[in-house]
């Protein structure tokens, strides 16, 4: 990244400003503003997240907020209620209170003498959720939003459930927020009342996974704050982005197709990162794009921002399997609208172990069946639902996974094939149990046999007709089902094969069904549909369309201890115990602008024994430390999830320490019925 030393305007920053809410709670904000003659008011851009502006996001914030402010905007970075130095407690994600607070924040910002009354919202992940959800409520000052790594459908396309099957990230995200929501404010900012504020957070804490387990179907809990319930709610322009390695790759194209407002979409090869910090690369000059967006929609500048394609995306070239890439080779391609009229849905019947063309199907036998009951080891090389690229967390070579799967494959391709969009698999199946899953994976198979996963999808077959009202399977009965895979842009070169793999488990990425199930696939009507982008189509954009990544230089951070990253798969052939251990330890570091020393260590562990579905266990444990001379606190959390055929069980602990002495401790042991999960 190129650090910009000279911007159109000098900026000034207020490190801690409080914003009053109607119920008396005050939220904490940091504000960057351009220095203009006579205090000329400017538009304001708000980022609203729970991740601690004073330390944990301060480096990232310092890269882009001063940059945008230096182009003539007031940038307001707000910690949610109950996080950082904001008062109150944070009880769950995306509650009504959170959105009401956001509306009040925007109203307060718009009324300040340094704001001209026009506001925008931006963010990645939670910040993007907040911007989209707030925009759907149409606050009068909000004129446009910029969002990255988001979803418009909280049930079907977030880190909780996928195709009606529970993701292990349901536990991992709950563990993350168990820690973040119980950290103390900084005494240097809020004074001696920091202990009372911290105690209030600790007393109110509860493992959020309990609530998420209680809603295994698409009900009012998930429908709340899901724009997909009514796309007409969004009335302001939106610039939306994500990455193919992220868990939110589907939302950009779905939003482009669903809303009727000025909109632009951008999808790169990135993991869960902002595009100017994108990994795998290439990262792009995203902040330049953002400033151009704000200039048009908040200042009325006629800069042509809406010219050109609706969607720009990175067409990925074939690569060998790896859990991490510095760069993904490929090229930028453009689509003038979405859905794109030039992308054709090409149906490939599944016959025997082969993916065939519609013309070839007529000459092949009909009425055959194949069966699969996957071992729990299938999925250990699946990677994370949403890659963070640290530790390396992309899927590895799929050959071992395919050994426990039902595999269909093309002949070696005679010409290049490119796909852009969401493939789907249509099946006619019967199962031996009332609850069964099927995971479908597409891989790019090189001539030497190495298999790189391109995309995947999951379906809890009880959700084959409805996420709102799933129905158990009648063992032995035949059902039609469609599995929609995650969207992707991928090229398959000549000589490679396209492989489809079907498995009945994908642990630990997906929590398995209550019991093993034998799945019978009836060939008649079984097909893979690929969204093929003609290779002869012009790309519609030059390859130098984006500038170099740039931003402001962040303040110095001193590393005090070395970070640690691990992603280890282990198996014992004595007792058949298998484990996936993940470690993400930032090490201890000191933020030199305020002297806070922070340590963060997160560990996840997923275990099972042989194919015993009652042996499944997942654990998310966090340790977060904050200190400076005269102040030393620590929060430790642990959440363990296990299951039987009928219930989930959550065992959780929360401990708070001051000066090495435990000052708070609480435990939970609760069960939740599975209810077809």
């Amino acid at each position: 990244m190129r650090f910009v030393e000279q911007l159109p305007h000098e900026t000034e920053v207020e490190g801690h400003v409080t914003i009053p809410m109607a119920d008396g709670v005050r939220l904490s904000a940091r504000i960057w503003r351009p220095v203009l003659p006579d205090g000329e008011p400017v538009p304001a851009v708000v980022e609203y997240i729970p991740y601690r502006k004073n330390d944990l996001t301060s480096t990232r914030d310092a890269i882009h907020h001063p940059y945008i402010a230096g182009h003539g905007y007031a940038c307001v970075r707000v910690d949610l209620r109950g996080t950082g130095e904001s008062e109150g407690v944070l009880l769950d994600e995306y509650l009504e209170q959170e959105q009401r607070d956001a509306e009040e924040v925007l109203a307060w910002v718009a009324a300040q003498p340094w704001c001209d009354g026009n506001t925008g919202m931006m963010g990645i992940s939670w910040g993007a959720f907040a911007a989209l959800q707030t925009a759907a409520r149409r606050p009068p000052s909000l004129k446009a939003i910029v969002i990255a790594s988001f979803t418009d459908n909280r049930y079907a396309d977030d880190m909780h459930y996928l195709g009606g099957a529970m993701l292990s990230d349901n536990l991992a995200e709950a563990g993350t927020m168990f820690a973040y929501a119980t950290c103390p404010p900084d005494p240097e900012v809020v004074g001696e009342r920091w202990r009372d504020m911290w105690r209030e957070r600790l007393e109110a804490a509860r493992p959020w996974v309990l609530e998420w387990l209680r809603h295994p179907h698409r009900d009012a809990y998930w429908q709340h704050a899901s724009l997909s319930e009514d796309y007409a709610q969004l009335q302001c322009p939106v610039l939306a982005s994500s990455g193919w390695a992220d868990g939110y790759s589907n939302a950009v194209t779905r939003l482009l197709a669903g809303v009727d407002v000025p909109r632009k979409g951008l999808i790169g090869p990135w993991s869960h990162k902002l595009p100017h910090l994108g990994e795998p690369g290439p990262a792009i000059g995203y902040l330049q794009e953002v400033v151009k967006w704000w200039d048009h929609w908040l200042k009325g500048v006629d800069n042509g921002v809406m010219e050109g394609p609706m969607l720009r995306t990175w067409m990925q070239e074939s690569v060998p399997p790896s859990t991490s890439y510095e760069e993904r080779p490929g090229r930028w391609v453009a689509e003038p609208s979405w859905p794109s009229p030039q992308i054709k849905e090409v149906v490939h019947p599944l016959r025997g172990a082969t993916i065939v063309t519609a013309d070839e199907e007529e000459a092949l036998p009909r009425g055959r069946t194949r069966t699969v009951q996957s071992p729990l080891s299938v999925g250990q090389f699946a990677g994370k639902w949403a890659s963070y690229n640290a530790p390396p967390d992309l899927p590895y070579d799929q050959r071992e996974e395919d050994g426990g799967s039902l595999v269909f494959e093309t002949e070696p391709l005679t010409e290049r094939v490119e796909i852009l969009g969401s493939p789907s698999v249509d099946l006619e199946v019967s199962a031996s149990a009332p609850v069964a899953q099927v995971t479908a994976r597409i891989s790019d198979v090189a001539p030497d046999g190495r298999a790189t996963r391109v995309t995947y999808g999951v379906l809890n077959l009880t959700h084959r007709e409805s996420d709102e009202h799933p129905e158990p399977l009648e063992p032995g009965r035949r059902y039609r089902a469609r599995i929609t895979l995650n969207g992707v842009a991928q090229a398959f070169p000549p000589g490679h094969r396209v492989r489809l793999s079907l498995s009945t488990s994908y642990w630990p990425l997906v929590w398995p069904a209550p019991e093993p199930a034998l799945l019978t696939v009836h060939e008649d009507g079984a097909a893979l549909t690929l969204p093929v982008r003609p290779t002869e189509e012009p790309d519609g954009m030059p390859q130098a369309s984006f500038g170099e990544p740039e931003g402001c230089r962040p303040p110095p951070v001193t590393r005090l201890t070395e970070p640690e990253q691990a992603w280890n798969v282990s198996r014992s052939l004595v007792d058949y115990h298998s484990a996936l251990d993940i470690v993400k330890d930032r090490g201890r570091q000191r933020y030199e602008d305020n002297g806070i020393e922070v340590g963060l260590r997160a560990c996840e562990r997923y275990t099972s024994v042989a194919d015993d579905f009652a042996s499944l266990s997942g654990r998310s444990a966090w340790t977060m430390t904050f200190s400076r001379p005269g102040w030393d606190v620590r929060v430790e959390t642990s959440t363990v999830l296990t299951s039987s055929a009928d219930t989930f069980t959550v065992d959780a602990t929360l401990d708070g320490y001051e000066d090495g002495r435990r000052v708070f401790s609480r435990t939970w042991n609760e069960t939740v019925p599975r209810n077809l999960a």
Side-chain angles (χ1 to χ4, degrees), residues 25-246:
V25 166
R26 302 185 73 87
L27 304 188
S28 178
R30 175 170 290 166
I31 303 176
W32 295 261
R33 296 201 305 270
V35 178
L36 297 175
D38 303 321
E40 177 186 343
V42 295
V45 176
V46 173
E47 184 179 22
Y48 177 66
I49 53 177
Y51 300 128
R52 300 180 62 90
K53 63 176 177 54
N54 217 35
D55 38 60
L56 294 181
T57 68
S58 61
T59 297
R60 187 214 65 171
D61 295 347
I63 291 173
H64 60 254
H65 285 306
Y67 181 94
I68 296 169
H71 285 84
Y73 297 88
C75 284
V76 184
R77 163 67 175 86
V78 184
D79 276 334
L80 266 62
R81 174 185 295 249
T83 66
E85 281 64 59
S86 291
E87 297 172 351
V89 295
L90 183 63
L91 300 174
D92 199 351
E93 58 183 16
Y94 319 131
L95 296 178
E96 173 69 17
Q97 180 69 63
E98 178 184 325
Q99 285 121 42
R100 288 201 305 267
D101 285 352
E103 292 182 278
E104 293 187 45
V105 166
L106 290 175
W108 182 89
V109 168
Q112 298 308 299
W114 39 260
C115 180
D116 67 4
N118 295 301
T119 66
M121 290 186 75
M122 68 176 291
I124 179 174
S125 199
W126 196 310
F129 278 64
L132 186 63
Q133 292 165 5
T134 305
R137 300 166 77 95
R138 306 183 195 176
S141 73
L142 187 62
K143 300 301 191 293
I145 58 174
V146 174
I147 54 179
S149 299
F150 66 96
T151 189
D152 55 346
N153 187 328
R154 291 184 54 216
Y155 177 77
D157 204 23
D158 195 4
M159 55 183 61
H160 304 294
Y161 294 90
L162 181 62
M166 190 182 77
L167 296 162
S168 63
D169 268 28
N170 200 46
L171 168 65
E173 175 64 5
T176 300
M177 294 314 302
F178 199 18
Y180 271 86
T182 52
C183 290
D186 184 354
E188 201 163 273
V189 176
V190 303
E192 281 304 311
R193 64 194 184 105
W194 75 270
R195 285 189 185 87
D196 293 335
M197 292 174 66
W198 186 27
R199 187 78 187 190
E200 183 183 17
R201 295 175 187 182
L202 294 169
E203 293 283 0
R206 186 171 178 80
W208 294 2
V209 70
L210 286 165
E211 189 68 15
W212 300 343
L213 289 169
R214 293 190 181 104
H215 298 277
H217 310 153
R218 184 185 173 89
D219 58 14
Y221 177 84
W222 303 110
Q223 291 164 351
H224 169 73
S226 287
L227 183 69
S228 59
E229 295 297 308
D230 181 7
Y231 284 113
Q233 292 176 330
L234 185 68
Q235 292 293 301
C236 72
V238 56
L239 172 61
S241 64
S242 189
W244 294 129
D246 197 359

Side-chain angles (χ1 to χ4, degrees), residues 375-518:
L376 285 175
S377 59
V378 174
Q380 289 190 319
F381 297 157
K384 262 286 191 187
W385 171 80
S387 170
Y388 291 84
N389 214 46
D393 56 8
L394 294 172
Y396 192 50
D397 195 324
Q398 296 293 287
R399 283 178 288 186
E400 187 169 343
E401 310 278 62
D402 290 342
S405 306
L406 200 59
V407 173
F408 304 85
E409 200 168 74
T410 66
E411 295 297 323
L413 299 175
T414 58
E415 57 186 23
R416 178 184 178 91
V417 174
E418 294 182 359
I419 62 173
L420 174 54
S422 295
S424 62
V425 178
D426 288 289
L427 298 175
E428 187 165 319
V429 297
S430 54
S432 63
V435 181
Q437 297 174 358
V438 58
T439 296
R441 312 185 304 278
I442 293 177
S443 296
D444 169 20
V445 182
D448 64 4
R450 289 183 292 179
T452 303
R453 198 189 74 192
V454 169
T455 183
Y456 75 102
V458 182
L459 179 62
N460 175 344
L461 287 166
T462 68
H463 288 243
R464 63 198 176 276
E465 299 290 344
S466 170
D467 285 331
E468 290 84 359
H469 306 289
E471 296 180 350
L473 304 168
E474 180 183 327
R477 180 180 172 183
R478 290 167 65 162
Y479 297 95
R480 296 288 301 168
R482 169 168 288 185
I483 308 152
T484 301
L485 282 65
N486 291 328
V488 71
Q490 179 69 42
F492 297 86
H496 285 224
R497 299 172 186 259
V498 178
R499 176 178 294 169
L500 171 67
S501 308
L502 304 178
S503 60
T504 57
S505 65
Y506 209 40
W507 165 253
L509 192 149
V510 178
W511 201 275
E515 59 181 313
L518 179 71

Side-chain angles (χ1 to χ4, degrees), residues 325-367:
Y325 302 95
E326 288 189 12
E327 297 242 343
R328 283 296 304 261
R331 73 187 194 283
W332 288 105
V333 300
E335 298 297 338
S337 61
W338 194 268
S340 170
Q342 66 187 18
I343 293 175
K344 307 301 181 186
E345 299 289 325
V346 179
V347 179
H348 293 274
L350 306 179
R351 292 292 179 266
T354 308
I355 301 171
V356 301
T357 66
D359 292 339
E360 295 170 326
E361 179 188 21
E362 295 301 322
L364 296 173
R366 303 181 66 85

Side-chain angles (χ1 to χ4, degrees), residues 543-559:
Q543 290 310 294
S545 295
F546 299 106
E548 178 185 359
E550 61 182 36
C552 288
R553 188 181 302 276
V557 176
T558 300
R559 184 165 299 287

